[in-house]
Structures are given as structure tokens and as C-alpha cells.
């Protein structure tokens, strides 16, 4: 007798992958009413409601499903903003072309002078690739754009940890001793303190969060943190700890 082939057994439902959930057709994903609702939540900074609204109208199940959308959108925003900034900088540079030519001529004259004196003139052998520079700049802008309250808390925690480190405490004790010998005015003490904090700690932490390792980056970061202080209890708490730590390390600052 002929053998009949047995029908393939279906895998248990627990082992079968769930069917992919398709997104609504373009143009039907969100109604005008939904857009207005989303805009209202954004204006009120009710981000949990923003996420819920997007999940519902895009037909997504998990907040993690929004990450490709948010990542791609953020990248495009940074790219467009960066392109605009570069174009603006080029226009300003073109307006100052005569000043640039004068500076180049002055630099060339300086090089000739050094060569005549037997001094070597160092040139950068391999200029940095423009694509790498652009990507690095855009990544720093992305980090700054994502500098939310949680990032501010992380930065403050890093500062606090470094201020309490053995190496910094040693440097602080030396400066505090100088502050107490009577040779420094109050303004000089404050200036020396700010310089020590920046050179030993702050300038090393700023790049972790997309800010430049200079006073401009420090001011930019502080201005953003100040915006979060009013609404974030943890930031206010850490700010108090930072101030107290510095005060304890430098008792001679106010003497």
C-alpha cells in the first residue's frame, strides 16, 4: 500500500514567533486631532503622555519600538542644524577674507623669520579627515541635545566623586594652605579656586557629555543645568553637596 506523507506538525504556539505588526498606511497613522493632542503634550512637557500617544497612533506595542524613529529623527535634526551652522560660518569667513589673507601673510613671514634663525617650523603632516571632524562635531551636538536632567545628575555625580578623590584633595590642601598665608586677596583666592577646579576636574568631565573642554563649554553646561534646577530635586540636592564639599576643602577661602 502507498504510504501517505504525514502533515507537518505545527510548532506549539509558545514557540512560534508572533506575526509582525504592520504600521498603519502612510498618511493614516495620525489624524489631525492626534497631532494637536501630541503638540499639546509637548508644550506641557508631559513626555509620558507623548510616548503613549505616539505608541497608540503608530500602532506600536513597546516604547522601545520608538527608538529607531527617535534616533533617526534626532540624527536628521542634528545634521540639518550642523549644515546650517557650517554654511553660516562660511559666509562669515568669506566676509572676512581680507583679514584672513593678512593673517596668512603674517604667518608666512613669521615662518621665514624662524627658518632664517635656524628654528624648525612644525607642520601638521596629515590633516584630519573632514568627514571625521564633521562626525565628531555632530556627535558632540547630539550629546548636548540629549543633556536631560538624568545627564545633569550623572555629570554632577562625576564632579562630586572627583572632588572627593585623594588626588584632588591633595591639590586642594596645597591651595588652601596658600590661601591662609595672607598673601592672597579674596578675589585672587576665588580665581585660583576656579582655575584649580577647572584644570583638575571640570575640563576632563565636560567632553563626556558633549561639551568643549574650555570655559565656553563649562558656561554652556551650567546654563542648561540651571534650567533643570527648578524642576529637579535630585539636581538641587547634588548642587548642595558640591558646594558643601568645596567649602569644606577650602576653609581659608572666606578668611
Amino acid at each position: 500500500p502507498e504510504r501517505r506523507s504525514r502533515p507537518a506538525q505545527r510548532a506549539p504556539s509558545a514557540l512560534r514567533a508572533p506575526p509582525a505588526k504592520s504600521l498603519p498606511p502612510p498618511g493614516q497613522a495620525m489624524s489631525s486631532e492626534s497631532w494637536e493632542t501630541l503638540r499639546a503634550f509637548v508644550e506641557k512637557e508631559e513626555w509620558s503622555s507623548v510616548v503613549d500617544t505616539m505608541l497608540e497612533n503608530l500602532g506600536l506595542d513597546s516604547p522601545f519600538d520608538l527608538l529607531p524613529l527617535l534616533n533617526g529623527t534626532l540624527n536628521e535634526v542634528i545634521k540639518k542644524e550642523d549644515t546650517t551652522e557650517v554654511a553660516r560660518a562660511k559666509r562669515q569667513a568669506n566676509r572676512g577674507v581680507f583679514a584672513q589673507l593678512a593673517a596668512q601673510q603674517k604667518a608666512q613671514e613669521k615662518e621665514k623669520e624662524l627658518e632664517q634663525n635656524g628654528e624648525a617650523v612644525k607642520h601638521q603632516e596629515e590633516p584630519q579627515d573632514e568627514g571625521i571632524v564633521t562626525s565628531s562635531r555632530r556627535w558632540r551636538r547630539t550629546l548636548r541635545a540629549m543633556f536631560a536632567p538624568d545627564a545633569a545628575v550623572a555629570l554632577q555625580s562625576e564632579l562630586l566623586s572627583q572632588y572627593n578623590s585623594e588626588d584632588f584633595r591633595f591639590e586642594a590642601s596645597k591651595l588652601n594652605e596658600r590661601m591662609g598665608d595672607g598673601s592672597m586677596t579674596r578675589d585672587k583666592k576665588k580665581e585660583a579656586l576656579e582655575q584649580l577646579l577647572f584644570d583638575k576636574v571640570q575640563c576632563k568631565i565636560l567632553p563626556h557629555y558633549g561639551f568643549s573642554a574650555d570655559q565656553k563649554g563649562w558656561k554652556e553646561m551650567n546654563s542648561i543645568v540651571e534650567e533643570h534646577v527648578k524642576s529637579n530635586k535630585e539636581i538641587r540636592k547634588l548642587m548642595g553637596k558640591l558646594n558643601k564639599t568645596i567649602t569644606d576643602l577650602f576653609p581659608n577661602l572666606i578668611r
Side-chain angles (χ1 to χ4, degrees), residues 13-242:
S13 59
L15 300 179
R16 293 198 303 270
K21 192 168 185 178
S22 59
L23 294 176
Q28 300 180 20
M30 293 181 65
S31 64
S32 59
E33 182 179 353
S34 297
W35 280 114
E36 290 300 326
T37 301
L38 182 63
R39 183 179 293 109
F41 286 141
V42 170
E43 290 177 352
K44 296 177 183 178
E45 298 186 358
E46 297 180 3
W47 304 116
S48 178
S49 298
V50 168
V51 171
D52 292 340
T53 301
M54 294 181 70
L55 289 175
E56 178 182 353
N57 286 276
L58 293 177
L60 301 175
D61 296 320
S62 168
F64 280 96
D65 294 334
L66 289 172
L67 291 182
L69 167 66
L70 299 176
N71 183 50
T73 301
L74 179 59
N75 285 337
E76 282 302 310
V77 169
I78 295 298
K79 188 183 299 182
K80 291 180 182 295
E81 181 66 17
D82 184 69
T83 301
T84 301
E85 288 292 332
V86 170
R88 184 183 299 117
K90 287 183 178 179
R91 288 196 299 269
Q92 294 176 348
N94 289 335
R95 286 195 290 266
V97 63
F98 294 108
Q100 288 183 349
L101 290 174
Q104 290 176 359
Q105 183 178 0
K106 186 175 181 180
Q108 291 172 356
E109 292 175 353
K110 182 64 175 177
E111 287 183 4
K112 290 180 180 179
E113 180 183 347
L114 291 174
E115 290 173 353
Q116 291 173 356
N117 293 334
E119 299 180 33
V121 181
K122 295 182 180 180
H123 297 279
Q124 186 175 0
E125 296 180 359
E126 296 182 2
Q128 196 168 6
D129 183 81
E130 184 177 352
I132 296 177
V133 173
T134 299
S135 297
S136 177
R137 182 178 64 247
R138 289 177 178 176
W139 175 241
R140 290 195 300 271
R141 292 176 69 97
T142 301
L143 288 177
R144 293 197 300 273
M146 295 189 299
F147 195 74
D150 285 344
V153 169
L155 184 145
Q156 288 179 311
S157 298
E158 276 198 70
L159 290 174
L160 187 61
S161 175
Q162 289 302 311
Y163 291 159
N164 284 314
S165 67
E166 184 177 346
D167 290 343
F168 183 77
R169 285 183 171 275
F170 175 72
E171 296 295 335
S173 65
K174 292 194 298 183
L175 176 57
N176 184 64
E177 186 176 347
R178 285 173 48 208
M179 289 179 175
D181 64 11
S183 63
M184 302 177 69
T185 64
R186 179 71 62 85
D187 289 340
K188 288 294 183 180
K189 290 180 181 180
K190 183 179 179 182
E191 182 180 341
L193 169 60
E194 291 177 349
Q195 193 65 48
L196 180 67
L197 294 174
F198 186 80
D199 290 344
K200 297 299 181 180
V201 177
Q202 296 165 357
C203 72
K204 300 176 182 178
I205 292 177
L206 285 172
H208 299 172
Y209 299 87
F211 300 98
S212 56
D214 52 25
Q215 290 297 330
K216 179 182 177 182
W218 180 250
K219 291 178 181 178
E220 184 179 5
M221 182 277 297
N222 271 318
S223 66
I224 298 177
V225 171
E226 286 294 334
E227 295 177 2
H228 297 314
V229 166
K230 303 174 184 177
S231 58
N232 193 286
K233 181 179 179 181
E234 189 64 26
I235 292 178
R236 293 196 299 271
K237 180 180 177 181
L238 281 168
M239 189 170 288
K241 287 185 177 181
L242 286 167

